[in-house]
Amino acid sequence: MRKRISLLQMAVFFFTAQVAWAGNIKTEKVTLVGNGIVEFIPVGYDVSRTPSLILSHEPEKKGGVPENWKLVPQFTMTDGKANASLDVPAGTSLYGGGEVTGPLLRNGQKIKMWNTDNGMYRVDGGSRLYQTHPWVLGVRPDGTAFGVLFDSFWKAELITNSDKIEFNTEGAPFRTYIIDRESPQAVLKGLAELTGTISMPPRWAIGYHQSRFSYVPEARVKEVANTFREKKIPCDVIWFDINYMDEFRVFTINNRDFPDPKRMNKYLHDNGFHSVYMIDPGVKVDDNYFVYKTGKEQNAFVCDIYRNEFHGKVWPGACAFPDFTRPETRTWWSGLYKDFMANGIDGIWNDMNEPSVFDGPGGTMPENNIHLGGGNLPIGSHLMYHNAYGRLMVEASYNGMMAANPSKRPFLLSRSNIIGGQRYAAMWTGDNEATYEQMKLSVPMSITLGLSGQPFNGPDIGGFAGNTTPDLWGNWLGFGAFFPFSRGHASCDTNNKEPWAFTKDIEKESRMALERRYRLLPYLYTAFHVAHKDGQPVMAPVFFADPKDESLRAEEQAFMLGTDLLIIPAFAKNPSLPKGIWENLSLVKGDTKGKYQAKLKVRGGSIIPVGKIIQNVNENSFDPLTLVVCPDEDGRAEGSLYWDKGDGWGFQKGDYKQLTFKAELVDGHHLIVKVTDDKGEDQIDFGMIKVEVLHAGHTYKSSGDIAKGITVKL
């Protein structure tokens, strides 16, 4: 039984929990908690009123702050609501804020942090979307950088003026962390030290994904899968939107369209596919429905201020919503995944978890609904917990997937989250629209998420809402094949958006784009491992190639993939590109002449590992492995390859292979490539390795045994 709370007690909690005074607040504690990371705690901060769901752990106190520390936030209260601000050094370029529309360069921008089901980004002009990232990255003119993390998930507004960063909340005082380091990459590593990194994904999850609202019945799913294989267009994942359910009841599968889901998922597995199924938080109110029945028995659902179970309309009709602030609720929710995933399901998609409520105020729950909390989470209003709802849901989902299949790495995608939630789920940029404007917008949106601690992200390629033209699809997939999360998705009321659904020419361009992605899987998987270890973005801004070059700071058409590949979409006009050696890269015959293909350029001084064209990650990429070498002005280059089984946890115990390659020019005409470092216990037989040297617009080739060194004559 729940402990009863009187209306008087609730009124006291909601309306006098915060002291109604205004003005500046002194900083109570200033502590060094890492290399170049300082924690600022204002007077009045109470962890029981502002718990952290952002930090991965409580930071370790390391002593006093350096005497020359200059970045000090100011704390204020306005009508009992806590705020913080930071003066910005002159000439600083500002980035971050997570999932945002608008420009990559965030100077002079304002966003609302109130997770919202914002289809086509039309609510408030896109100033509030599905996720909350109270984080700003600042890059000074000299390339050094700092970051500010506001440790609060209350409803808030983030203002990034060129002279001041402001974070104004509707909640209690909160801690603020400032990271000051030698480069933006080092600052993001510091952010990862505070908030954690992505879990290493299964390799199939970085292949191409195909989705629609919805693929039904079973015959249609098989038709889509078979067409990919017949047309030799690479793909790894087929997605199942809500129509697979029994009248939209979560954790059910309708036996009309899918009479034997185990058989269907086995068919997908046998043909090199994995499956991802949607699970929403709205639970249909039906006493004969096992999810609602068991949830109601243990008081798992959110209540209104009068202690009645809150009901709101979503896809199934009247729904109850799990109160994920309760540890017992999260345990119950986690337990629902075991039998569900036993159908052969590989991944999970948590959608509608802002939470979206069709008939609720502002499309969500009333702000005075009650979350009972538990553990380290206090009782609180929905005003307090709204932005954290999706974050708590994905934690419970992730734990349920782990318990259901402990030997497999979970792949979980979420629409709603907060910074720190990358530890549990990848994300996509929500229900976008099939327009050229939103196609172009998808680049800075995904870059910004990578700069905000979430490297595993991407948009709905082709646009979710509205019909997609052949030209728009060709343009979008031509560079969309290089998003960290690469998925085509379409609404039920739009035209078909599979790679072959347009014209023969578009089908050919689509195949080419995806073949390029699959050839780059060794390089891409290595970049994901770096993201997992150090929090670096997989998709990064061009200025990461040279943080001191201020001419690159606003570039939002071209982008970096990892540290050594430059991607220039076909739509890009006069992009600002980094100086130095950048050689053109061809991965598939004819790709440099394809109308829609992005231009790929390799950084001088780098070595990129690429594989052969494969149709899915179950096939062997290394037959052969090719090392693409682009020497710098001194004739030197370096690169690495990380590889493991692609699933499971053996890599945590040394079952992986990590190689460092170096190349050096000798006698002015011969480049020697060899392995200089070999880590891990996995035994991978690379066999003969090919080397392609890109130099002064020409390609020089050789092959051999890398253990002995491979010589290429220039």
Side-chain angles (χ1 to χ4, degrees):
M1 294 294 290
R2 293 189 181 184
K3 183 178 179 181
R4 294 205 168 271
I5 303 173
S6 70
L7 290 179
L8 177 60
Q9 286 175 310
M10 285 187 284
V12 169
F13 173 78
F14 287 119
F15 301 113
T16 67
Q18 299 180 38
V19 180
W21 51 277
N24 293 332
I25 312 173
K26 293 182 178 179
T27 302
E28 184 176 88
K29 293 181 181 179
V30 182
T31 310
L32 188 71
V33 294
N35 176 26
I37 306 177
V38 175
E39 175 187 70
F40 294 86
I41 302 179
V43 170
Y45 166 73
D46 182 348
V47 69
S48 68
R49 292 166 59 202
T50 315
S52 182
L53 290 170
I54 290 174
L55 303 180
S56 61
H57 60 282
E58 190 62 25
E60 181 183 349
K61 315 303 181 186
K62 296 185 180 294
V65 179
E67 292 183 2
N68 61 348
W69 190 272
K70 296 180 180 179
L71 298 171
V72 179
Q74 300 298 312
F75 297 99
T76 60
M77 294 287 285
T78 303
D79 297 327
K81 299 172 182 178
N83 316 305
S85 64
L86 180 72
D87 289 337
V88 175
T92 297
S93 303
L94 300 177
Y95 305 92
E99 189 181 51
V100 295
T101 56
L104 174 68
L105 191 63
R106 303 302 297 171
N107 297 62
Q109 301 297 312
K110 179 189 296 186
I111 55 176
K112 298 177 181 179
M113 295 194 163
W114 184 250
N115 294 352
T116 300
D117 181 355
N118 194 347
M120 297 175 281
Y121 313 149
R122 291 180 178 174
V123 178
D124 289 347
S127 67
R128 54 188 165 109
L129 292 180
Y130 306 88
Q131 304 217 4
T132 290
H133 292 73
W135 158 260
V136 180
L137 170 69
V139 185
R140 301 181 184 92
D142 64 357
T144 63
F146 65 89
V148 54
L149 176 66
F150 304 104
D151 189 14
S152 172
F153 48 78
W154 280 85
K155 188 177 188 179
E157 185 174 62
L158 179 65
I159 304 169
T160 46
N161 289 323
S162 292
D163 61 345
K164 182 178 286 189
I165 298 165
E166 299 179 59
F167 184 65
N168 304 318
T169 80
E170 296 193 20
F174 50 86
R175 296 180 291 187
T176 294
Y177 295 87
I178 293 181
I179 307 165
D180 195 349
R181 291 183 173 179
E182 70 276 9
S183 68
Q185 292 92 330
V187 169
L188 291 183
K189 187 175 187 299
L191 177 64
E193 291 165 15
L194 291 173
T195 67
T197 66
I198 61 170
S199 180
M200 190 64 191
R203 192 152 49 238
W204 59 263
I206 64 172
Y208 176 69
H209 303 240
Q210 188 65 50
S211 181
R212 184 174 179 85
F213 173 23
S214 299
Y215 285 132
V216 289
E218 179 179 351
R220 175 60 175 152
V221 175
K222 290 181 177 180
E223 178 188 19
V224 171
N226 292 343
T227 306
F228 272 106
R229 297 297 178 245
E230 290 165 3
K231 292 182 175 292
K232 295 190 180 302
I233 299 174
C235 183
D236 266 277
V237 194
I238 305 294
W239 288 60
F240 292 77
D241 211 313
I242 55 175
N243 293 106
Y244 80 83
M245 301 177 192
D246 178 13
E247 297 182 341
F248 306 129
R249 292 173 172 86
V250 293
F251 297 103
T252 69
I253 300 175
N254 84 70
N255 58 18
R256 178 189 68 257
D257 294 317
F258 303 107
D260 190 342
K262 289 184 179 180
R263 178 190 64 198
M264 182 184 62
N265 285 314
K266 183 179 184 303
Y267 182 88
L268 292 176
H269 294 159
D270 289 345
N271 286 276
F273 290 95
H274 289 76
S275 61
V276 176
Y277 284 64
M278 178 182 283
I279 295 290
D280 294 345
V283 176
K284 183 176 176 62
V285 176
D286 177 356
D287 288 328
N288 295 317
Y289 167 38
F290 75 98
V291 176
Y292 179 72
K293 183 174 182 294
T294 57
K296 187 175 183 180
E297 287 170 353
Q298 55 181 283
N299 300 309
F301 300 117
V302 176
C303 287
D304 63 24
I305 194 171
Y306 301 108
R307 304 291 292 157
N308 298 313
E309 186 177 279
F310 171 75
H311 293 166
K313 185 178 180 181
V314 201
W315 296 111
C319 288
F321 298 82
D323 181 358
F324 292 113
T325 67
R326 301 178 68 239
E328 302 89 344
T329 298
R330 295 197 299 275
T331 299
W332 162 74
W333 186 262
S334 296
L336 295 171
Y337 281 97
K338 183 177 181 180
D339 290 343
F340 183 67
M341 298 195 74
N343 288 296
I345 293 167
D346 301 295
I348 295 295
W349 178 11
N350 283 165
D351 191 21
M352 307 292 288
N353 52 344
E354 292 73 35
S356 178
V357 182
F358 294 161
D359 59 348
T364 190
M365 295 183 191
E367 292 182 357
N368 60 4
N369 273 8
I370 301 169
H371 296 268
L372 290 184
N376 66 332
L377 299 180
I379 182 175
S381 65
H382 191 66
L383 176 67
M384 174 182 179
Y385 280 115
H386 172 85
N387 286 337
Y389 191 86
R391 151 69 178 82
L392 289 164
M393 179 185 183
V394 296
E395 178 186 353
S397 296
Y398 182 93
N399 291 338
M401 296 171 72
M402 279 290 294
N405 294 310
S407 64
K408 295 181 179 180
R409 303 177 201 169
F411 172 72
L412 174 62
L413 185 82
S414 181
R415 191 168 76 177
S416 183
N417 215 330
I418 59 175
I419 191 169
Q422 72 273 358
R423 302 192 296 272
Y424 305 105
M427 61 84 57
W428 91 107
T429 57
D431 297 341
N432 61 1
E433 187 176 14
T435 66
Y436 288 91
E437 178 186 21
Q438 294 205 5
M439 175 193 74
K440 295 174 182 178
L441 182 63
S442 67
V443 176
M445 288 186 78
S446 287
I447 294 173
T448 299
L449 279 159
L451 294 178
S452 304
Q454 176 52 285
F456 202 176
N457 75 84
D460 282 341
I461 295 170
F464 173 73
N467 290 328
T468 301
T469 65
D471 185 73
L472 179 61
W473 175 265
N475 263 292
W476 210 327
L477 187 61
F479 69 90
F482 304 106
F483 281 112
F485 174 60
S486 187
R487 180 184 73 163
H489 184 41
S491 182
C492 56
D493 55 352
T494 69
N495 59 336
N496 289 330
K497 300 181 184 181
E498 295 77 38
W500 56 83
F502 301 96
T503 67
K504 286 295 182 182
D505 285 344
I506 295 300
E507 178 183 321
K508 179 181 178 181
E509 294 264 3
S510 298
R511 180 183 298 106
M512 187 180 294
L514 294 174
E515 286 178 344
R516 296 172 102 195
R517 180 182 182 89
Y518 276 72
R519 281 213 70 193
L520 284 172
L521 275 177
Y523 175 76
L524 192 57
Y525 196 64
T526 302
F528 266 91
H529 185 251
V530 173
H532 164 63
K533 297 293 289 185
D534 291 338
Q536 297 303 302
V538 174
M539 177 180 179
V542 167
F543 75 79
F544 264 38
D546 186 359
K548 295 181 181 180
D549 186 347
E550 293 187 80
S551 70
L552 303 176
R553 298 286 179 85
E555 174 54 45
E556 59 183 24
Q557 300 175 98
F559 57 92
M560 300 292 297
L561 186 64
T563 58
D564 300 322
L565 260 184
L566 181 61
I567 313 294
I568 307 171
F571 74 80
K573 297 187 183 304
N574 302 314
S576 298
L577 302 179
K579 301 176 182 66
I581 296 173
W582 291 90
E583 294 284 347
N584 292 326
L585 174 64
S586 174
L587 293 167
V588 178
K589 184 178 180 180
D591 61 353
T592 59
K593 297 179 181 179
K595 178 181 178 181
Y596 298 108
Q597 302 306 311
K599 292 181 181 178
L600 307 186
K601 290 180 174 288
V602 184
R603 182 181 62 82
S606 65
I607 300 176
I608 290 178
V610 300
K612 67 174 185 178
I613 296 171
I614 57 176
Q615 297 304 305
N616 63 85
V617 301
N618 293 335
E619 297 178 4
N620 179 18
S621 286
F622 302 139
D623 187 20
L625 170 66
T626 299
L627 300 178
V628 177
V629 181
C630 183
D632 62 16
E633 58 274 10
D634 297 320
R636 294 186 175 91
E638 183 174 351
S640 64
L641 167 67
Y642 173 84
W643 205 251
D644 58 28
K645 294 295 191 294
D647 206 345
W649 306 101
F651 73 98
Q652 295 178 337
K653 300 177 181 178
D655 189 14
Y656 66 90
K657 182 61 65 178
Q658 188 165 14
L659 301 175
T660 299
F661 307 102
K662 287 189 178 180
E664 186 173 4
L665 188 65
V666 295
D667 69 28
H669 299 287
H670 295 84
L671 193 81
I672 299 177
V673 185
K674 55 186 176 181
V675 172
T676 59
D677 195 18
D678 184 338
K679 296 179 180 177
E681 300 172 2
D682 199 357
Q683 300 300 315
I684 300 176
D685 181 12
F686 293 106
M688 181 187 69
I689 289 181
K690 290 185 176 181
V691 173
E692 296 182 4
V693 178
L694 309 180
H695 177 63
H698 298 282
T699 302
Y700 304 88
K701 300 181 180 182
S702 185
S703 60
D705 183 347
I706 194 68
K708 298 176 181 178
I710 301 172
T711 300
V712 185
K713 184 178 179 180
L714 303 187

